[in-house]
């Protein structure tokens, strides 16, 4: 990709609430690249957002909260696992703009130690004054959220319900915008990338990036997702569906081909939120060589996939690989015992 003139993506018709300070930097990991030998690794620092400890969900929340405020909502409800970064950042953004926030958090990840249950994101949810509904793993969280919303509406409240990971088509617009931001940064810096590597959880980040690249008339095939949530087939169909819907929201004439969604399931391990040896090694390598922190649920696994790709010769010699760092630092404290 890139070397192209400045790319434009007009999202001005959508309501938006500014939560970011501006573009996040792209940095070259020189020590790690020298260590790996055959490729150049760059990172897009989407962990470097000021609000609430930072992370990729803030891009989606700019459009989600924008829509909620445009609808005069006074309350936002969202769902997630107990250590959801999305829930924590929704609580922080709600505090910033003066919305009440309720979090429907399920114990869907089979971890029941004190750090997982009470440290990390859950500590921050409480500081941001969110009301947490603590539910068993078997709960249908979105159904619970909708029922809670109805209950609050009967009391006269105006409630905005936000899905898992903030990955509605409106939320995905945040990453369509990020695609334009990355292309423009790269062209301004005279950089080109052979591959963009991302973690894929609820699929919204990858879907938004693909939709944005398609909307700018470019080839979305350089984006590779490592699924950390479901198997490749499921992740591909969820991500494609969201990419199609997001592209249509931007421009009703746009379509996204199914081969635009590249998903690798090799790093999923036993399942969502369950650590793998490769994840632990990747977190340690990036921390010890670059002073940067990956999280154990998303970035650690996706970066492990990047490292395995380098080791197996998947990337050409000299390839420029851009890894999107997505935040999730509080997760390290929830998974203390794994390190
Ligand atoms: C949510 C999340 C992701 C994945 O983004 P999706 O849009 O859900 O695929 C990656 N990294 C971190 C730290 C996250 O919190």
């Amino acid at each position: 990709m890139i070397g192209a003139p400045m790319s434009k993506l007009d999202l001005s018709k959508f309501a938006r609430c500014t939560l970011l300070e501006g573009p996040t930097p792209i940095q070259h990991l020189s020590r790690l690249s020298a260590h790996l030998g055959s490729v150049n690794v760059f990172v897009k620092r989407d962990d470097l957002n000021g609000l609430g400890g930072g992370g990729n969900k803030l891009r989606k929340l700019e459009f989600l909260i924008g829509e909620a405020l445009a609808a005069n909502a006074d309350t936002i409800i969202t769902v997630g696992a107990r250590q959801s970064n999305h829930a924590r950042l929704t609580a922080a953004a709600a505090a910033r703009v003066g919305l009440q926030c309720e979090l429907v958090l399920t114990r869907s990840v089979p971890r029941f130690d004190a750090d997982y249950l009470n440290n990390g994101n859950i500590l921050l949810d409480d500081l941001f004054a969110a009301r947490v509904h603590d539910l068993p793993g078997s709960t249908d969280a979105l159904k619970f959220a909708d029922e809670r919303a109805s209950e609050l509406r009967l009391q006269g409240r105006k409630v905005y319900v936000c899905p898992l990971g903030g990955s509605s088509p409106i939320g995905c617009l945040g990453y369509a915008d990020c695609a334009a931001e990355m292309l423009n940064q790269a062209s301004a810096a005279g950089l080109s990338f052979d591959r963009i590597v991302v973690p894929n959880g609820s699929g919204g980040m990858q879907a938004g990036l693909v939709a944005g690249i398609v909307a700018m008339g470019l080839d979305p095939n350089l984006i590779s997702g490592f699924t950390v949530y479901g198997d490749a087939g499921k992740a591909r169909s969820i991500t494609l569906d969201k990419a199609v819907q997001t592209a249509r929201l931007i421009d009703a004439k746009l379509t996204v081909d199914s081969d635009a969604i590249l998903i690798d399931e090799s790093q999923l391990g036993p399942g969502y939120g369950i650590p793998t040896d490769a994840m632990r090694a990747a977190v340690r390598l990036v921390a010890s060589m670059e002073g940067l922190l990956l999280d154990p649920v998303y970035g650690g696994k996706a970066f492990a996939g990047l490292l395995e790709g380098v080791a197996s010769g998947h990337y050409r010699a000299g390839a420029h690989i851009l890894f999107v760092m997505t935040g999730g630092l509080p997760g390290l404290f929830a998974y203390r015992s794994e390190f």
Side-chain angles (χ1 to χ4, degrees), residues 22-223:
T24 59
I26 291 178
Q27 298 166 339
H28 181 223
L29 302 189
S30 55
R31 293 225 316 133
L32 185 77
S33 298
H35 169 74
L36 296 175
S38 59
V39 296
N40 274 298
V41 180
F42 296 78
V43 283
K44 171 71 171 164
R45 296 293 307 276
D46 264 18
D47 57 322
L48 277 190
N49 300 309
L51 188 66
N56 74 338
K57 300 309 179 306
L58 289 174
R59 288 193 187 267
K60 301 177 187 177
L61 284 161
E62 286 203 332
F63 290 91
L64 294 164
I65 301 257
E67 187 176 64
L69 294 177
N72 282 318
D74 52 36
T75 304
I76 186 164
I77 305 183
T78 197
V79 302
R82 185 129 177 115
Q83 284 293 337
S84 167
N85 297 305
H86 164 66
R88 179 245 314 167
L89 287 169
T90 301
R96 158 69 59 90
V97 302
L99 292 173
Q100 298 194 52
C101 179
E102 298 202 8
L103 304 175
V104 180
L105 304 184
T106 59
R107 297 192 177 199
S108 52
V109 173
R111 294 184 71 84
F112 304 98
D113 58 291
D115 288 327
Y116 187 83
L117 292 181
N118 299 317
N119 206 341
N121 285 294
I122 201 84
L123 166 67
L124 304 184
D125 296 341
D126 182 52
L127 297 181
F128 297 134
R131 173 165 177 182
V132 171
H133 300 273
D134 176 15
L135 298 165
S138 55
T139 313
D140 181 339
L142 206 51
K143 183 160 170 269
F144 185 99
D146 284 333
E147 286 165 6
R148 178 68 184 148
S150 306
E151 200 175 297
L152 290 171
R153 285 179 189 126
L154 283 177
Q155 298 168 19
R157 301 256 294 270
K158 292 211 154 163
V159 186
Y160 184 85
V161 178
C162 178
L164 186 74
S167 290
S168 64
I170 287 285
C172 294
L173 291 172
Y175 268 93
D177 192 52
C178 180
E181 180 180 308
M182 287 197 289
L183 292 171
N184 289 331
Q185 276 177 311
S187 84
L191 283 170
S192 78
F193 295 107
D194 301 87
R195 193 128 294 279
I196 299 176
V197 175
V198 298
N200 183 308
S202 62
M205 176 169 63
Q206 187 170 351
L209 288 172
V210 167
I213 286 181
V214 167
M216 289 182 286
L218 300 168
D219 179 5
N221 237 297
L222 81 167
I223 299 175

